[in-house]
Amino acid sequence: MKQSMPTADIPTQPRPLPAMPAPPVRPHRHIPSLALLALCALSGAVQAQGAGPGSPWTFGVAASAAWFGDADLDGGGSVQLDSIGVSLSANYAANPRLSVGLGLSSFDHRFKFSGSGLVPQLDPWSAVHLRTISVPMRFAVDRQWSVSVVPSYQIATADEALNGEGARYGSVVAVSYAVSPRQYVGFGFSYFRGLDDDTVFPILLVEWQLDDRWRLTNPLTAGPTGPAGLELVRSFDGGWEASVGGAYRSLRFRLTDYYPPAPNGTGSYSGAIAFARLQYRFTPELSLSLFAGAQFGGELEINADGGRTIVSVDHGTAPMLALSLSGRF
């Protein structure tokens, strides 16, 4: 226990070059990783695939809800989280080499602290609101190499904190190499600043079709809340799909200016999630996904304005369930 007084980004997959697509940072499902992660709340924000044969436009929409059970807090007490959100995306392929998109997402997370430990007594926040806008861009150098840039701007606030105080901005930059139309790998980095903190992390992008049934992919979109994770997927006949995966996420947000322990400070909730997913596709355009798993190895922090840590405690493992309905057109 450490204790002292104490997410779209929704890029959309570009249109491939005639022979070898090299898709960049793409949105797949957003998984509610750790409670905070609920931010991504298993947001199955599935990417859009086309507005008709030959159309340069693609659109996507997803709605999701997630539940995280009680996670014990070091120092006593526990925290529980519910999350709900919606994601929208649009992409325009100007030509086979260049595409640009727009992603919008809105998530609300309800925290419930209980028990008699330090954090529950401080009663740090009850609701966290995240609003994110991203502009994914991709340029294909040739049939194998492509470069992706995804700038994002996010407002992350707790309770009635002012939106203007909760800004975080930055970008994901990645280079991808396509071995074949259904096999590519990419590497890059993400840099985001704001909320009294600068964050840099490496990114691995992968879409690797192992055979007709199995593939390795990224379950999340890389962005302000972390890298993209990894997921092993198995497809079945009749529109069914199952997978297992994992990721790490971190949510950071502005506290109110009237919270006594840390006026206008910041809060954070981070950790890892392991999950299993079952998906059914009603039509090529509409799918429903159910997620079950656990959040673990996390940390909760309360920081003063300027970044000084006031409280930092680890939180334990919590069960997780989530549901996502995704459409594309």
Side-chain angles (χ1 to χ4, degrees), residues 88 126 221 237:
L88 305 172
S126 61
T221 301
D237 295 334

Side-chain angles (χ1 to χ4, degrees), residues 102-325:
L102 176 67
L104 302 172
S105 67
S106 176
F107 288 88
D108 290 303
H109 319 289
R110 301 291 176 178
F111 287 81
K112 181 181 179 181
F113 295 92
S114 58
S116 57
L118 172 62
V119 173
Q121 289 178 356
L122 291 174
D123 191 23
W125 57 81
S126 61
V128 172
H129 317 286
L130 291 107
R131 313 290 183 252
T132 307
I133 181 171
S134 62
V135 182
M137 295 172 283
R138 175 208 178 238
F139 175 72
V141 179
D142 54 31
R143 292 184 177 182
Q144 293 177 307
W145 291 97
S146 66
V147 178
S148 302
V149 180
V150 188
S152 299
Y153 182 84
Q154 183 181 82
I155 298 293
T157 58
D159 302 315
E160 290 79 37
L162 298 176
N163 286 340
E165 301 292 333
R168 201 175 192 195
Y169 55 91
S171 184
V172 173
V173 178
V175 175
S176 299
Y177 180 80
V179 177
S180 71
R182 296 192 299 173
Q183 295 177 320
Y184 80 84
V185 64
F187 298 94
F189 70 92
S190 172
Y191 172 73
F192 287 91
R193 69 175 308 172
L195 296 173
D196 308 323
D197 184 58
D198 290 357
T199 302
V200 179
F201 52 80
I203 292 173
L204 170 65
L205 303 177
V206 61
E207 181 67 38
W208 205 267
Q209 194 75 35
L210 303 173
D211 58 31
D212 290 342
R213 296 286 189 177
W214 292 90
R215 74 179 189 275
L216 185 66
T217 187
N218 300 119
L220 304 178
T221 301
T225 56
L230 283 175
E231 181 182 26
L232 182 62
V233 183
R234 171 66 154 87
S235 60
F236 299 89
D237 295 334
W240 291 94
E241 185 174 272
S243 69
V244 294
Y248 178 87
R249 290 275 135 162
S250 178
L251 178 65
R252 193 176 182 90
F253 44 89
R254 181 67 66 185
L255 301 177
T256 64
D257 57 8
Y258 55 80
Y259 176 58
N264 207 45
T266 59
S268 68
Y269 194 86
S270 61
I273 184 173
F275 66 89
R277 176 179 63 88
L278 181 64
Q279 175 183 284
Y280 179 71
R281 188 169 294 281
F282 300 97
T283 70
E285 295 77 26
L286 183 65
S287 65
L288 180 69
S289 295
L290 173 66
F291 299 82
Q295 164 201 325
F296 59 94
E299 185 178 33
L300 180 152
E301 287 189 354
I302 302 173
N303 306 297
D305 188 9
R308 179 177 60 87
T309 299
I310 297 176
V311 170
S312 177
V313 300
D314 295 334
H315 62 77
T317 301
M320 177 274 294
L321 291 173
L323 193 67
S324 175
L325 181 64

